[in-house]
Coordinates of all heavy atoms in Angstrom, one line a residue:
M230 N -0.3 -5.1 -17.6 CA 0.4 -6.3 -17.8 C 0.8 -6.5 -19.2 O 1.9 -7.0 -19.5 CB -0.4 -7.5 -17.3 CG -0.7 -7.4 -15.8 SD -0.6 -8.9 -14.8 CE 0.3 -10.1 -15.6
R231 N 0.0 -6.1 -20.1 CA 0.3 -6.2 -21.6 C 1.6 -5.4 -21.9 O 2.4 -5.9 -22.8 CB -0.8 -5.7 -22.4 CG -2.0 -6.6 -22.5 CD -3.1 -6.1 -23.4 NE -4.3 -6.7 -23.0 CZ -5.4 -6.1 -22.8 NH1 -5.5 -4.8 -22.9 NH2 -6.5 -6.7 -22.4
E232 N 1.8 -4.3 -21.2 CA 3.0 -3.5 -21.5 C 4.2 -3.9 -20.7 O 5.3 -3.4 -20.9 CB 2.6 -2.0 -21.1 CG 1.5 -1.4 -22.0 CD 1.1 -0.1 -21.5 OE1 1.7 0.4 -20.5 OE2 0.2 0.5 -22.1
G233 N 4.1 -4.8 -19.8 CA 5.2 -5.3 -19.0 C 5.5 -4.5 -17.8 O 6.5 -4.7 -17.1
T234 N 4.6 -3.5 -17.5 CA 4.8 -2.7 -16.3 C 4.6 -3.6 -15.0 O 5.3 -3.4 -14.1 CB 3.9 -1.5 -16.3 OG1 4.1 -0.8 -17.5 CG2 4.1 -0.6 -15.1
F235 N 3.6 -4.4 -15.1 CA 3.3 -5.3 -13.9 C 3.5 -6.7 -14.4 O 3.2 -7.1 -15.5 CB 1.9 -5.1 -13.5 CG 1.5 -3.7 -13.2 CD1 0.7 -3.0 -14.1 CD2 2.0 -3.1 -12.1 CE1 0.3 -1.7 -13.8 CE2 1.7 -1.7 -11.8 CZ 0.9 -1.1 -12.7
T236 N 4.1 -7.5 -13.5 CA 4.3 -8.9 -13.8 C 3.7 -9.8 -12.7 O 4.4 -10.7 -12.2 CB 5.8 -9.2 -14.0 OG1 6.5 -8.9 -12.8 CG2 6.3 -8.5 -15.2
A237 N 2.5 -9.5 -12.3 CA 1.9 -10.3 -11.2 C 1.8 -11.8 -11.5 O 1.5 -12.2 -12.7 CB 0.5 -9.8 -10.9
A238 N 2.1 -12.6 -10.6 CA 2.1 -14.1 -10.8 C 0.7 -14.6 -11.1 O 0.5 -15.4 -11.9 CB 2.7 -14.8 -9.6
D239 N -0.3 -14.0 -10.3 CA -1.6 -14.5 -10.5 C -2.6 -13.3 -10.3 O -3.2 -13.1 -9.2 CB -1.9 -15.6 -9.4 CG -3.3 -16.2 -9.6 OD1 -4.0 -15.9 -10.5 OD2 -3.6 -17.1 -8.7
P240 N -2.7 -12.5 -11.3 CA -3.5 -11.2 -11.2 C -5.0 -11.4 -10.9 O -5.6 -10.5 -10.3 CB -3.3 -10.5 -12.5 CG -2.9 -11.6 -13.5 CD -2.2 -12.7 -12.7
T241 N -5.6 -12.5 -11.3 CA -7.0 -12.7 -11.1 C -7.4 -13.3 -9.7 O -8.5 -13.0 -9.2 CB -7.6 -13.5 -12.2 OG1 -7.0 -14.8 -12.2 CG2 -7.4 -12.9 -13.5
E242 N -6.6 -14.0 -9.1 CA -6.9 -14.7 -7.9 C -6.1 -14.2 -6.7 O -6.5 -13.3 -6.0 CB -6.7 -16.2 -8.0 CG -7.7 -16.9 -8.9 CD -9.1 -16.9 -8.4 OE1 -9.3 -16.9 -7.1 OE2 -10.1 -16.7 -9.2
R243 N -5.0 -14.7 -6.5 CA -4.2 -14.4 -5.3 C -3.8 -12.9 -5.2 O -4.1 -12.3 -4.2 CB -2.9 -15.3 -5.3 CG -2.0 -15.0 -4.0 CD -0.7 -15.7 -4.1 NE 0.1 -14.9 -5.2 CZ 0.9 -15.5 -6.0 NH1 1.2 -16.8 -5.9 NH2 1.6 -14.8 -6.9
D244 N -3.3 -12.4 -6.2 CA -2.9 -11.0 -6.2 C -4.1 -10.0 -6.0 O -4.0 -9.1 -5.2 CB -2.1 -10.6 -7.4 CG -0.8 -11.4 -7.6 OD1 -0.3 -12.0 -6.5 OD2 -0.3 -11.5 -8.7
G245 N -5.1 -10.3 -6.8 CA -6.3 -9.4 -6.6 C -6.9 -9.5 -5.3 O -7.4 -8.5 -4.7
T246 N -7.0 -10.7 -4.7 CA -7.5 -10.9 -3.4 C -6.7 -10.2 -2.3 O -7.2 -9.6 -1.4 CB -7.6 -12.4 -3.0 OG1 -8.5 -13.0 -4.0 CG2 -8.2 -12.6 -1.7
A247 N -5.4 -10.3 -2.5 CA -4.5 -9.6 -1.5 C -4.7 -8.1 -1.6 O -4.8 -7.4 -0.5 CB -3.0 -9.9 -1.9
L248 N -4.8 -7.5 -2.8 CA -5.0 -6.1 -2.9 C -6.3 -5.6 -2.3 O -6.4 -4.6 -1.6 CB -4.9 -5.6 -4.3 CG -3.5 -5.7 -4.9 CD1 -3.5 -5.5 -6.4 CD2 -2.6 -4.7 -4.3
L249 N -7.4 -6.4 -2.6 CA -8.7 -6.0 -2.1 C -8.7 -6.2 -0.5 O -9.3 -5.3 0.1 CB -9.8 -7.0 -2.6 CG -10.2 -6.6 -4.1 CD1 -11.2 -7.7 -4.6 CD2 -10.9 -5.3 -4.1
G250 N -8.2 -7.2 0.0 CA -8.1 -7.4 1.4 C -7.4 -6.3 2.1 O -7.8 -5.8 3.2
M251 N -6.2 -5.9 1.5 CA -5.4 -4.8 2.1 C -6.2 -3.5 2.1 O -6.2 -2.8 3.2 CB -4.2 -4.7 1.2 CG -3.2 -3.7 1.7 SD -1.7 -3.6 0.7 CE -2.3 -2.7 -0.8
C252 N -6.9 -3.2 1.1 CA -7.7 -1.9 1.0 C -8.9 -2.0 2.0 O -9.2 -1.0 2.6 CB -8.2 -1.7 -0.4 SG -6.8 -1.3 -1.5
Q253 N -9.5 -3.1 2.1 CA -10.7 -3.2 3.0 C -10.3 -3.2 4.5 O -11.0 -2.7 5.3 CB -11.5 -4.5 2.7 CG -12.1 -4.4 1.3 CD -12.7 -5.7 0.9 OE1 -12.3 -6.8 1.4 NE2 -13.6 -5.7 0.0
S254 N -9.1 -3.8 4.8 CA -8.7 -3.9 6.2 C -8.3 -2.6 6.9 O -8.4 -2.4 8.1 CB -7.6 -4.9 6.3 OG -8.1 -6.2 6.0
I255 N -7.7 -1.7 6.1 CA -7.1 -0.5 6.7 C -8.2 0.3 7.5 O -7.9 0.8 8.5 CB -6.4 0.4 5.6 CG1 -5.6 1.4 6.3 CG2 -7.4 1.0 4.7 CD1 -4.6 2.2 5.4
A256 N -9.4 0.3 7.0 CA -10.5 1.0 7.7 C -10.8 0.5 9.1 O -11.3 1.1 10.0 CB -11.7 1.1 6.9
R257 N -10.5 -0.8 9.3 CA -10.7 -1.5 10.6 C -9.7 -1.2 11.6 O -10.0 -1.1 12.8 CB -10.9 -3.0 10.4 CG -12.2 -3.3 9.8 CD -12.3 -4.8 9.7 NE -12.2 -5.0 8.2 CZ -12.0 -6.2 7.7 NH1 -11.8 -7.2 8.4 NH2 -11.9 -6.2 6.4
W258 N -8.4 -1.0 11.2 CA -7.4 -0.9 12.2 C -6.7 0.5 12.3 O -6.0 0.8 13.2 CB -6.3 -2.0 12.1 CG -5.6 -1.9 10.8 CD1 -5.8 -2.6 9.6 CD2 -4.5 -1.1 10.4 NE1 -5.0 -2.3 8.6 CE2 -4.1 -1.3 9.1 CE3 -3.8 -0.1 11.1 CZ2 -3.1 -0.7 8.5 CZ3 -2.7 0.5 10.5 CH2 -2.4 0.2 9.1
Y259 N -6.9 1.3 11.3 CA -6.2 2.6 11.3 C -6.7 3.5 12.4 O -7.9 3.6 12.6 CB -6.4 3.3 9.9 CG -5.9 4.8 10.0 CD1 -4.5 5.0 10.0 CD2 -6.7 5.8 10.0 CE1 -4.0 6.3 10.1 CE2 -6.2 7.1 10.1 CZ -4.9 7.3 10.1 OH -4.4 8.6 10.2
Q260 N -5.8 4.1 13.1 CA -6.2 5.1 14.2 C -5.6 6.4 13.9 O -4.4 6.5 13.7 CB -5.6 4.6 15.5 CG -6.2 3.3 16.0 CD -7.7 3.4 16.3 OE1 -8.2 4.4 16.9 NE2 -8.5 2.4 15.8
P261 N -6.4 7.5 13.8 CA -5.9 8.8 13.5 C -4.8 9.3 14.4 O -3.9 10.0 14.0 CB -7.1 9.7 13.6 CG -8.2 8.8 13.3 CD -7.9 7.5 13.9
A262 N -4.8 8.8 15.7 CA -3.8 9.2 16.6 C -2.6 8.3 16.6 O -1.7 8.4 17.5 CB -4.4 9.3 18.0
G263 N -2.6 7.3 15.7 CA -1.5 6.3 15.6 C -0.2 6.9 15.2 O 0.0 8.1 15.0
P264 N 0.9 6.1 15.2 CA 2.2 6.6 14.9 C 2.5 7.0 13.5 O 3.5 7.7 13.2 CB 3.1 5.4 15.3 CG 2.2 4.2 15.1 CD 0.8 4.7 15.4
L265 N 1.7 6.6 12.5 CA 1.9 6.9 11.1 C 1.0 8.1 10.6 O -0.2 8.0 10.9 CB 1.7 5.7 10.2 CG 2.5 4.5 10.5 CD1 2.1 3.3 9.6 CD2 4.0 4.8 10.4
A266 N 1.6 9.0 10.0 CA 0.8 10.1 9.3 C 0.1 9.4 8.1 O 0.5 8.4 7.6 CB 1.7 11.2 8.8
P267 N -1.1 9.9 7.7 CA -1.8 9.3 6.6 C -0.9 9.2 5.3 O -1.0 8.2 4.6 CB -3.0 10.3 6.4 CG -3.2 10.9 7.7 CD -1.9 11.0 8.3
Q268 N -0.1 10.2 5.1 CA 0.8 10.2 3.9 C 1.8 9.0 4.0 O 2.1 8.4 3.0 CB 1.5 11.5 3.7 CG 0.6 12.7 3.5 CD 0.1 13.3 4.8 OE1 0.3 12.8 5.9 NE2 -0.7 14.4 4.6
E269 N 2.3 8.8 5.2 CA 3.3 7.7 5.3 C 2.6 6.3 5.2 O 3.1 5.4 4.5 CB 4.0 7.7 6.7 CG 5.0 6.6 6.8 CD 5.8 6.7 8.1 OE1 5.3 7.3 9.1 OE2 6.9 6.1 8.2
L270 N 1.4 6.2 5.8 CA 0.7 5.0 5.6 C 0.3 4.7 4.2 O 0.5 3.6 3.7 CB -0.6 5.1 6.5 CG -1.4 3.8 6.6 CD1 -0.6 2.6 7.2 CD2 -2.7 4.1 7.4
A271 N -0.1 5.7 3.5 CA -0.5 5.6 2.1 C 0.8 5.1 1.3 O 0.7 4.3 0.4 CB -1.0 6.9 1.5
A272 N 1.9 5.7 1.6 CA 3.1 5.4 0.8 C 3.5 3.9 1.1 O 3.9 3.2 0.2 CB 4.3 6.3 1.3
R273 N 3.3 3.5 2.3 CA 3.6 2.0 2.6 C 2.7 1.1 1.9 O 3.1 0.1 1.3 CB 3.5 1.8 4.1 CG 4.7 2.4 4.9 CD 4.6 2.1 6.3 NE 5.7 2.7 7.1 CZ 6.0 2.4 8.3 NH1 5.2 1.5 9.0 NH2 6.9 3.0 8.9
Y274 N 1.4 1.5 1.8 CA 0.4 0.7 1.1 C 0.7 0.6 -0.4 O 0.5 -0.4 -1.0 CB -1.0 1.1 1.4 CG -1.6 0.3 2.6 CD1 -1.0 0.3 3.8 CD2 -2.8 -0.4 2.4 CE1 -1.6 -0.4 4.9 CE2 -3.3 -1.1 3.4 CZ -2.7 -1.1 4.6 OH -3.3 -1.8 5.7
I275 N 1.1 1.8 -0.9 CA 1.5 1.8 -2.3 C 2.7 0.9 -2.6 O 2.7 0.1 -3.6 CB 1.9 3.2 -2.8 CG1 0.6 4.1 -2.8 CG2 2.6 3.2 -4.1 CD1 0.9 5.6 -2.9
D276 N 3.7 0.9 -1.7 CA 4.8 0.0 -1.9 C 4.4 -1.5 -1.8 O 4.9 -2.3 -2.6 CB 5.9 0.3 -0.8 CG 6.6 1.7 -1.0 OD1 6.5 2.2 -2.2 OD2 7.2 2.2 -0.1
I277 N 3.5 -1.8 -0.9 CA 3.1 -3.2 -0.8 C 2.3 -3.6 -2.0 O 2.5 -4.7 -2.6 CB 2.2 -3.4 0.5 CG1 3.1 -3.2 1.8 CG2 1.5 -4.7 0.5 CD1 2.3 -3.0 3.0
A278 N 1.4 -2.7 -2.5 CA 0.6 -3.1 -3.6 C 1.5 -3.3 -4.9 O 1.3 -4.2 -5.7 CB -0.5 -2.0 -3.9
L279 N 2.5 -2.4 -5.0 CA 3.4 -2.5 -6.2 C 4.2 -3.8 -6.1 O 4.4 -4.4 -7.1 CB 4.2 -1.3 -6.3 CG 3.5 0.0 -6.7 CD1 4.5 1.2 -6.7 CD2 3.0 -0.2 -8.2
A280 N 4.6 -4.2 -4.9 CA 5.3 -5.4 -4.7 C 4.5 -6.6 -5.1 O 5.0 -7.6 -5.7 CB 5.8 -5.5 -3.3
I281 N 3.2 -6.6 -4.7 CA 2.3 -7.7 -5.1 C 2.2 -7.9 -6.6 O 2.2 -9.0 -7.1 CB 0.9 -7.4 -4.5 CG1 0.9 -7.6 -3.0 CG2 -0.1 -8.4 -5.1 CD1 -0.4 -7.1 -2.3
V282 N 2.3 -6.8 -7.4 CA 2.2 -6.9 -8.8 C 3.6 -6.8 -9.5 O 3.7 -6.6 -10.7 CB 1.2 -5.9 -9.5 CG1 -0.2 -6.2 -9.0 CG2 1.7 -4.5 -9.2
C283 N 4.6 -7.0 -8.6 CA 6.0 -7.0 -9.1 C 6.4 -5.8 -9.9 O 7.0 -5.8 -10.9 CB 6.3 -8.3 -10.0 SG 6.0 -9.8 -9.1
A284 N 6.1 -4.6 -9.3 CA 6.4 -3.3 -9.9 C 7.1 -2.5 -8.8 O 6.9 -2.8 -7.6 CB 5.2 -2.6 -10.4
Q285 N 7.8 -1.5 -9.1 CA 8.4 -0.6 -8.1 C 8.2 0.9 -8.6 O 7.9 1.2 -9.7 CB 9.9 -0.8 -8.1 CG 10.3 -2.2 -7.5 CD 11.8 -2.4 -7.4 OE1 12.5 -1.6 -7.9 NE2 12.2 -3.4 -6.7
R286 N 8.3 1.8 -7.6 CA 8.3 3.2 -7.9 C 9.6 3.8 -7.4 O 10.2 3.2 -6.5 CB 7.1 3.8 -7.3 CG 7.1 3.9 -5.8 CD 5.9 4.7 -5.3 NE 5.9 4.6 -3.8 CZ 5.3 5.5 -3.1 NH1 4.6 6.5 -3.6 NH2 5.3 5.3 -1.8
P287 N 10.0 4.9 -7.9 CA 11.2 5.6 -7.4 C 11.0 5.9 -5.9 O 9.9 6.2 -5.4 CB 11.2 6.9 -8.2 CG 10.4 6.7 -9.3 CD 9.3 5.7 -8.9
A288 N 12.1 5.9 -5.2 CA 12.1 6.2 -3.7 C 11.7 7.7 -3.6 O 12.1 8.5 -4.3 CB 13.5 6.0 -3.1
R289 N 10.9 7.9 -2.6 CA 10.5 9.2 -2.3 C 10.6 9.5 -0.8 O 10.6 8.6 0.0 CB 9.0 9.4 -2.7 CG 8.8 9.3 -4.2 CD 7.3 9.3 -4.5 NE 6.7 10.4 -3.8 CZ 5.6 11.0 -4.1 NH1 5.0 10.6 -5.2 NH2 5.0 11.9 -3.4
G290 N 10.6 10.7 -0.4 CA 10.6 11.1 1.0 C 9.3 10.7 1.7 O 8.2 10.6 1.0
R291 N 9.4 10.3 2.9 CA 8.2 9.9 3.7 C 7.9 11.0 4.7 O 8.8 11.7 5.2 CB 8.5 8.6 4.4 CG 8.9 7.4 3.5 CD 7.6 6.9 2.8 NE 7.9 5.6 2.2 CZ 8.0 5.4 1.0 NH1 8.0 6.4 0.1 NH2 8.2 4.2 0.5
T292 N 6.6 11.1 5.1 CA 6.2 12.0 6.1 C 5.8 11.3 7.3 O 5.1 10.3 7.2 CB 4.9 12.8 5.6 OG1 5.3 13.5 4.4 CG2 4.5 13.8 6.6
T293 N 6.4 11.6 8.4 CA 6.1 11.0 9.7 C 5.3 11.9 10.6 O 5.5 13.1 10.5 CB 7.3 10.4 10.4 OG1 8.2 11.5 10.6 CG2 8.0 9.4 9.6
R294 N 4.5 11.4 11.4 CA 3.7 12.2 12.3 C 4.6 12.6 13.5 O 5.4 11.9 14.0 CB 2.5 11.3 12.8 CG 1.7 12.1 13.8 CD 0.4 11.4 14.0 NE -0.3 11.5 12.8 CZ -1.6 11.1 12.6 NH1 -2.2 10.6 13.6 NH2 -2.2 11.2 11.5
K295 N 4.5 13.9 13.9 CA 5.3 14.4 15.0 C 4.6 14.0 16.3 O 3.4 14.0 16.4 CB 5.3 15.9 14.9 CG 6.1 16.4 13.7 CD 6.2 17.9 13.6 CE 6.9 18.3 12.3 NZ 6.9 19.7 12.1
P296 N 5.4 13.6 17.3 CA 4.8 13.2 18.6 C 4.1 14.4 19.2 O 4.5 15.6 19.0 CB 6.1 12.9 19.4 CG 7.2 12.8 18.5 CD 6.9 13.5 17.3
R297 N 3.0 14.1 19.9 CA 2.3 15.2 20.5 C 2.7 15.4 21.9 O 3.2 14.7 22.6 CB 0.8 14.7 20.6 CG 0.2 14.7 19.2 CD -1.2 14.3 19.3 NE -1.7 14.2 17.9 CZ -2.9 14.1 17.6 NH1 -3.9 14.1 18.5 NH2 -3.3 14.0 16.3

């Protein structure tokens, strides 16, 4: 935040709680046989986390799980 990379509105309360909740919840609902490959799920979570702290990363290719 000092360098201006992140501009979270409330880094100690709301934003921190959102990030922690997001990381803790994934273990409860993720299913290995689900529609998202782990890499795609991770990329989505990275995008959400960066949005919470008002930062962006360059667009990258996504990996999707192939139907069985």
